[in-house]
Amino acid sequence: MDIFLQQLVNGLVLGSIYALVALGYTMVYGILELINFAHGEVTMIGAMVALSVIGVLMGAAPDLPGVMVVLAGILVAIPACMALAFGIEKIAYRPLRKAPRLAPLITAIGVSIILQNLAMLIWGRQYVSFPPLLPTIRFEFLGAHISLLQIAIVVLAVTIMAGLWLLVEKSRLGRAMRATAQSKEVAQLMGVNVDRVISATFIIGAAIAAIAGVMVSAYYGLAHYYMGFMLGLKAFSAAVLGGIGNIAGAMLGGLLLGVIEALGAGYIGDITGGFLGSHYQDVFAFFVLILVLVFRPSGLLGERVANRA
Amino acid sequence: MLDSLRRRPRLAFALLAVLLAALPFIMGFGLGNSWVRVLDFVLLYVLLAIGLNIVVGYAGLLDLGYIAFYALGAYVYAWLASPHFGLHLPFWAVLPIGAAVAGLFGVLLGAPTLRLRGDYLAIVTLGFGEIIRIFMNNLNAPFNLTNGPQGMNLIDPVSVAGLSFGKSLHLFGMKLPPTYLYYYLFLAFTLLAILVAFRLQDSRIGRAWAAIREDEVAAAAMGINTRNMKLLAFAMGATFGGLAGGLFAAFQGFISPESFTLWESILVLCMIVLGGMGNIPGVILGAVLLTMIPEALRYIGDLQRATLGHIVVDPSDLRMLLFGVALVAMMLFRPAGLLPSRQRKREFAAEDGVAEQEQASLYDAKA
Amino acid sequence: MSVLLSVDQVTKRFGGLAALEDVSLTVEAGEIYGLIGPNGAGKTTLFNCMTGLYTVTSGAVRLAGAEVQALKPHQIVKRGFARTFQNIRLFANMSALENVMVGRHPRTHATVLGAVLRCRKTRAEEAGIREHAHELLRYVGLGGKSRGLASHLSYGDQRRLEIARALATEPKLLALDEPVAGMNPNERQQMGELFRKLREGGVTLLLIEHDVKLVMGLCDRVAVLDYGRKIAEGPAEEVRRDPAVIAAYLGGEA
């Protein structure tokens, strides 16, 4: 039972990070019907930039409290990722908005490769470790351990999701985004600057991704030029699970996928009689993805039918 | 010169045949025997690219896990012809089995996903590629199926009528190392694949694929069973991949999961995109270029060492970066590839095709 | 005359919205049957239900007596029911000839093996496809335009090409969705002649049309849809005088 609870806690923490990254996929897909392959890499860049800033600050101002240093890292990473996403959309996606479907998908893969390899050239092939700046207080709760960092991740993630929900549902920009997702042409006729809305969508997704990137590296204690790939794939799977294009769906899908993965990794050994072990953790996301696409392509909360008439 | 050859296709054909036959010797003497090995890989990649082109170029389905089928072919070969299980079946039996297994997996993966939109297929195939790799990495315990990250070695070389491709052949006083022998074997398979691809393209089946790529609903309204045709393209591509994988295993004598990463899938995709989707000469060009360029890039390392005294940027680090830039740049500036197919050219540049069409109708009026 | 197509109490709902409500009609072999109605009356929806693009919510569609409403589009084509689209859906980047050649798909048989080996049977079939396609292009009046790209044809020619492509599937029943939309009177006249020629050739025609004059002059019988319901059916002259029809549709123009 305590294993179950522990894995549930771990899954929810990880899942809230997946949910944040999934939001970026789902928002872009909702508006452009484009799988923004490079989104995982934007998350990675966020983590790397933050770690660089943290490294510099630790050298320059060793007396600064750890939380402040990390916060500074996040605050630099956010605009960096926003600028990056803005540039990616403008250079690699916008010119291809009317091209055959395959074209933007291929440039998305290209951008992803570029970012990954640039990161490798800048930060090297080695794992970059996240310095022990944050308090390591742990609480015990019905036999499961939960750290202050885990609580902080979940609280921050929930806050961001609530903020995004307010933005999309209540603000002018949110209304413009929803209108653009329905029909770019009509939105344009109604006076919405579609290009700006699309840029804004990318930028908002990237800002959230930057935070998620720092969360992931803080949680695992390391970052790596390759980390965005798997994270991105899982987040995309989460978005599909929840119903791609649907913001609440991305949140639900992320949490659910995190829990599935954690419980799956915890119990797969027992289920298969020791044949498969916890190193198959990464496989679950794909099985979930394939199963969802086969049995409910519109996802849990999606109304749109993925199948073309 | 080219023009006179065009008027005499037979002569051109004969010249090409002589050139292809002599190529390993030219490369071997001119640049060194390591280049013959490169040549072998060029042919393997041409084979892979032609297979993927059926899926991506003909039917318009983006398959990002193509290398998984290559891996399946290679592992099946290794299981059936290596000391791992003590099986040593002949290559003419193993190769078709590997190709068939890959094709079967293609159907199993494609059947549920091909009714979905194209970009979902891209993600599902990508996931499938990763799943296969993760399994190959971990299936060494509790039952040692794949030998995990260490991979499997001592795989039997191809052997035909008592002639083992693993040893040098002495012929008319010449010594032909294995890389030469495999060159001719791969060449035979590649030429066969090219023939198959050409004939399919120019058939009822190829037209059905093109129609699906253009407009799936209209294709269905023309009586085309779109799901089955897509599945056929997908399975055929997978079969080609499995075949190439088997050849790869026999050639290397050693395989490990490291050879089958996502980036290999992307590399093959790059070949098609760079050369010209759907156009076989373009695909061949793409495969040749992208296999040779990394080899040539090694010289950048030497150049750095000579001029700067040490290596600043590892050329192998640059390779993927350049591929990424190439993918984006090609899509933005020359989306139909270096050697575009007739059809793709029109597709991407519908505007400036009017002159061509006028010419065509003039021709028609004469005919 | 025998009944070729019968639509029996077909209802189609999208979510809660009923696009078709209890629609029934019969098309007899050899006639030209018109389907008219104001915009949004459900004409194209009915076409899509008949040709397998939509699944009906309830009701049945029978082709030569056999139920087809559960079949896939390609199976319905194979049974001899072809169609064109309101917003022309040609294979834009293929030549006119290739477009029509695609239409031969359900009537030809070459398999992968046949195509690869290019045996005598396949070669003969391929030559037949090409020949047949050329013939159809001439038939619809595109004889000199076979090599041109479909997307480069004029609007009227694209409509003709779409008909040729549909004819290549050898339909007994051909459904045309607004085949003369956007054409000038002269072109409409020519299309009308093509339709009569088709009928003489043994093809039953079902057309959706806005141009009431054309429909009245051409069609043997007409059905009128309004808000997803059939409000009239019968010989053109009778329907024209039907008060319900005048109120719903002709009233605006007459």
Side-chain angles (χ1 to χ4, degrees):
Chain A
M1 187 59 202
D2 47 345
I3 297 180
F4 177 79
L5 205 63
Q6 186 66 57
Q7 291 298 75
L8 193 67
V9 168
N10 294 348
L12 283 174
V13 174
L14 204 55
S16 56
I17 301 177
Y18 290 162
L20 289 183
V21 183
L23 285 171
Y25 281 103
T26 230
M27 287 187 333
V28 167
Y29 195 92
I31 286 191
L32 285 181
E33 301 210 340
L34 165 76
I35 298 176
N36 179 15
F37 242 84
H39 190 62
E41 263 59 54
V42 172
T43 312
M44 175 271 294
I45 298 277
M48 289 303 205
V49 168
L51 275 172
S52 294
V53 171
I54 290 169
V56 170
L57 269 185
M58 281 172 71
D63 302 331
L64 224 57
V67 179
M68 295 297 286
V69 176
V70 174
L71 217 56
I74 295 179
L75 287 179
V76 177
I78 290 173
C81 286
M82 288 165 99
L84 182 65
F86 177 79
I88 293 172
E89 193 274 326
K90 192 133 192 168
I91 296 168
Y93 300 154
R94 188 171 298 177
L96 294 173
R97 222 175 269 161
K98 293 214 167 67
R101 272 189 92 83
L102 223 52
L105 200 54
I106 291 173
T107 51
I109 296 167
V111 169
S112 183
I113 298 174
I114 293 172
L115 290 180
Q116 222 178 78
N117 285 274
L118 275 181
M120 191 182 74
L121 288 177
I122 297 171
W123 288 287
R125 284 175 180 274
Q126 292 77 34
Y127 286 89
V128 183
S129 63
F130 196 95
L133 288 169
L134 299 172
T136 51
I137 306 163
R138 297 174 83 191
F139 303 99
E140 212 182 303
F141 173 71
L142 294 174
H145 293 279
I146 181 159
S147 70
L148 194 60
L149 175 64
Q150 286 181 314
I151 294 174
I153 287 176
V154 173
V155 169
L156 186 55
V158 170
T159 312
I160 292 170
M161 289 185 226
L164 182 71
W165 186 81
L166 277 178
L167 177 83
V168 171
E169 293 297 323
K170 304 286 177 203
S171 75
R172 247 176 79 85
L173 175 65
R175 198 160 17 167
M177 282 167 72
R178 281 179 291 140
T180 310
Q182 290 288 324
S183 161
K184 283 198 273 295
E185 288 74 24
V186 176
Q188 199 140 31
L189 287 176
M190 295 299 126
V192 174
N193 184 339
V194 170
D195 281 343
R196 196 176 295 166
V197 168
I198 291 172
S199 282
T201 308
F202 272 83
I203 288 172
I204 294 169
I208 297 174
I211 299 171
V214 180
M215 284 178 175
V216 165
S217 56
Y219 187 51
Y220 285 123
L222 45 85
H224 187 230
Y225 78 96
Y226 200 63
M227 68 187 265
F229 169 66
M230 222 7 129
L231 184 62
L233 266 180
K234 287 180 181 172
F236 177 79
S237 304
V240 172
L241 173 62
I244 195 146
N246 184 316
I247 289 180
M251 301 177 191
L252 178 68
L255 289 175
L256 211 53
L257 186 67
V259 170
I260 291 171
E261 217 179 78
L263 291 180
Y267 287 101
I268 186 171
D270 295 344
I271 294 166
T272 60
F275 182 67
L276 301 173
S278 58
H279 38 257
Y280 286 97
Q281 184 182 358
D282 288 344
V283 168
F284 293 108
F286 299 123
F287 277 121
V288 167
L289 177 65
I290 292 176
L291 289 178
V292 171
L293 288 180
V294 171
F295 293 108
R296 197 177 157 81
S298 55
L300 295 175
L301 300 185
E303 292 147 30
R304 261 199 261 183
V305 189
N307 201 347
R308 236 180 335 193
Chain B
M1 162 85 181
L2 272 176
D3 228 34
S4 63
L5 277 182
R6 195 159 291 157
R7 264 181 274 122
R8 282 140 87 184
R10 247 167 229 245
L11 181 69
F13 203 73
L15 279 176
L16 188 67
V18 170
L19 180 70
L20 282 176
L23 199 57
F25 294 95
I26 300 171
M27 293 290 260
F29 289 123
L31 293 161
N33 270 339
S34 71
W35 279 91
V36 182
R37 199 180 157 72
V38 174
L39 218 52
D40 291 348
F41 273 105
V42 168
L43 288 175
L44 268 184
Y45 277 111
V46 170
L47 197 55
L48 274 176
I50 283 179
L52 184 60
N53 183 52
I54 293 179
V55 188
V56 182
Y58 289 177
L61 307 165
L62 190 54
D63 180 354
L64 293 179
Y66 188 58
I67 221 66
F69 302 116
Y70 185 62
L72 281 170
Y75 271 91
V76 166
Y77 196 100
W79 287 326
L80 298 180
S82 82
H84 190 76
F85 292 133
L87 289 172
H88 296 280
L89 302 183
F91 101 99
W92 51 260
V94 182
L95 219 47
I97 295 174
V101 168
L104 182 71
F105 269 84
V107 172
L108 288 180
L109 182 67
T113 47
L114 281 171
R115 66 200 169 91
L116 299 168
R117 272 182 35 177
D119 33 15
Y120 281 96
L121 182 76
I123 297 289
V124 171
T125 50
L126 193 152
F128 174 71
E130 284 300 294
I131 288 179
I132 292 282
R133 200 181 52 81
I134 291 172
F135 272 94
M136 293 191 165
N137 238 328
N138 292 303
L139 279 179
N140 49 349
F143 173 70
N144 189 359
L145 199 60
T146 63
N147 211 22
Q150 282 88 43
M152 297 161 77
N153 53 19
L154 296 174
I155 300 165
D156 298 347
V158 171
S159 163
V160 186
L163 166 70
S164 170
F165 282 48
K167 290 188 286 263
S168 296
L169 173 70
H170 294 273
L171 200 67
F172 310 121
M174 264 192 317
K175 186 174 155 231
L176 291 182
T179 46
Y180 283 65
L181 300 177
Y182 275 106
Y183 170 83
Y184 293 109
L185 181 71
F186 291 177
L187 185 64
F189 274 105
T190 305
L191 290 176
L192 194 68
I194 291 172
L195 181 79
V196 167
F198 262 126
R199 290 198 159 174
L200 278 177
Q201 183 179 19
D202 197 18
S203 76
R204 166 179 180 267
I205 311 241
R207 277 193 300 273
W209 284 335
I212 290 170
R213 202 187 63 209
E214 290 272 317
D215 184 335
E216 209 171 317
V217 173
M222 288 302 106
I224 293 167
N225 185 340
T226 51
R227 213 189 72 132
N228 282 3
M229 289 310 283
K230 287 199 283 184
L231 202 53
L232 177 66
F234 201 67
M236 284 210 63
T239 309
F240 272 61
L243 180 75
L247 290 173
F248 170 72
F251 174 57
Q252 287 269 82
F254 163 76
I255 54 169
S256 77
E258 218 170 278
S259 306
F260 310 109
T261 60
L262 170 73
W263 303 112
E264 290 289 315
S265 289
I266 304 259
L267 176 65
V268 182
L269 179 70
C270 282
M271 293 170 176
I272 296 176
V273 170
L274 184 75
M277 259 185 280
N279 189 33
I280 294 179
V283 169
I284 296 170
L285 177 72
V288 172
L289 281 180
L290 287 194
T291 321
M292 302 290 252
I293 285 173
E295 299 300 322
L297 277 180
R298 283 174 207 276
Y299 292 109
I300 295 184
D302 295 342
L303 196 72
Q304 286 180 28
R305 206 176 288 125
T307 55
L308 301 169
H310 62 279
I311 292 189
V312 182
V313 179
D314 187 348
S316 62
D317 288 352
L318 272 183
R319 189 181 72 143
M320 284 313 293
L321 185 64
L322 288 179
F323 285 176
V325 173
L327 272 185
V328 176
M330 287 304 288
M331 277 298 121
L332 290 178
F333 303 114
R334 207 178 155 84
L338 295 174
L339 280 183
S341 74
R342 204 165 42 105
Q343 223 146 321
R344 282 282 159 157
K345 204 162 151 187
R346 302 170 188 158
E347 202 165 308
F348 282 105
E351 305 302 292
D352 42 70
V354 182
E356 187 190 333
Q357 182 239 344
E358 277 170 5
Q359 228 174 346
S361 35
L362 266 176
Y363 183 90
D364 211 26
K366 263 190 292 182
Chain C
M1 275 203 267
S2 64
V3 173
L4 184 53
L5 176 80
S6 76
V7 173
D8 193 6
Q9 293 186 305
V10 162
T11 297
K12 172 69 187 174
R13 285 197 192 89
F14 295 101
L17 197 79
L20 292 173
E21 191 88 59
D22 239 2
V23 173
S24 301
L25 49 86
T26 55
V27 178
E28 294 185 346
E31 71 177 336
I32 299 182
Y33 190 97
L35 194 58
I36 60 174
N39 272 329
K43 304 181 298 276
T44 297
T45 305
L46 182 58
F47 257 39
N48 288 344
C49 286
M50 293 188 298
T51 53
L53 284 183
Y54 292 164
T55 42
V56 298
T57 308
S58 66
V61 178
R62 291 190 190 83
L63 187 62
E67 292 200 7
V68 297
Q69 74 275 7
L71 297 183
K72 294 261 172 351
H74 67 91
Q75 294 169 315
I76 292 172
V77 177
K78 184 107 189 176
R79 286 168 182 238
F81 185 6
R83 68 170 292 175
T84 65
F85 294 89
Q86 184 181 351
N87 49 335
I88 307 173
R89 296 186 85 145
L90 289 166
F91 306 119
N93 301 298
M94 295 164 87
S95 72
L97 184 70
E98 284 168 326
N99 264 277
V100 185
M101 286 172 79
V102 170
R104 292 301 295 154
H105 188 91
R107 304 295 167 208
T108 47
H109 311 281
T111 58
V112 170
L113 204 64
V116 169
L117 298 178
R118 208 164 271 186
C119 52
R120 187 185 309 193
K121 209 173 103 193
T122 311
R123 277 191 315 234
E125 186 181 273
E126 191 70 7
I129 292 172
R130 194 168 288 271
E131 180 55 35
H132 196 120
H134 272 296
E135 207 171 287
L136 282 170
L137 282 174
R138 281 193 295 271
Y139 184 82
V140 299
L142 294 173
K145 293 172 181 161
S146 64
R147 293 171 61 95
L149 206 53
S151 57
H152 291 156
L153 292 173
S154 73
Y155 187 74
D157 282 351
Q158 290 195 12
R159 290 257 180 230
R160 286 170 184 274
L161 179 56
E162 224 192 355
I163 292 172
R165 188 180 68 172
L167 285 174
T169 67
E170 293 176 22
K172 289 184 290 227
L173 174 62
L174 177 59
L176 305 169
D177 198 344
E178 299 196 17
V180 302
M183 290 185 174
N184 63 36
N186 192 20
E187 287 173 318
R188 282 169 189 240
Q189 179 77 32
Q190 289 172 354
M191 283 302 257
E193 279 160 25
L194 176 63
F195 298 155
R196 285 195 194 89
K197 191 163 84 171
L198 279 170
R199 193 234 311 251
E200 277 156 33
V203 180
T204 307
L205 288 180
L206 172 58
L207 22 131
I208 291 182
E209 202 32 78
H210 270 311
D211 183 346
V212 178
K213 221 168 22 181
L214 181 95
V215 170
M216 294 304 173
L218 197 66
C219 296
D220 303 300
R221 285 190 312 138
V222 174
V224 186
L225 285 188
D226 191 28
Y227 291 110
R229 291 170 182 279
K230 187 180 78 177
I231 56 170
E233 184 183 18
E237 275 312 307
E238 257 171 50
V239 169
R240 193 210 272 276
R241 287 192 296 269
D242 191 313
V245 175
I246 294 170
Y249 182 67
L250 298 175
E253 289 179 27

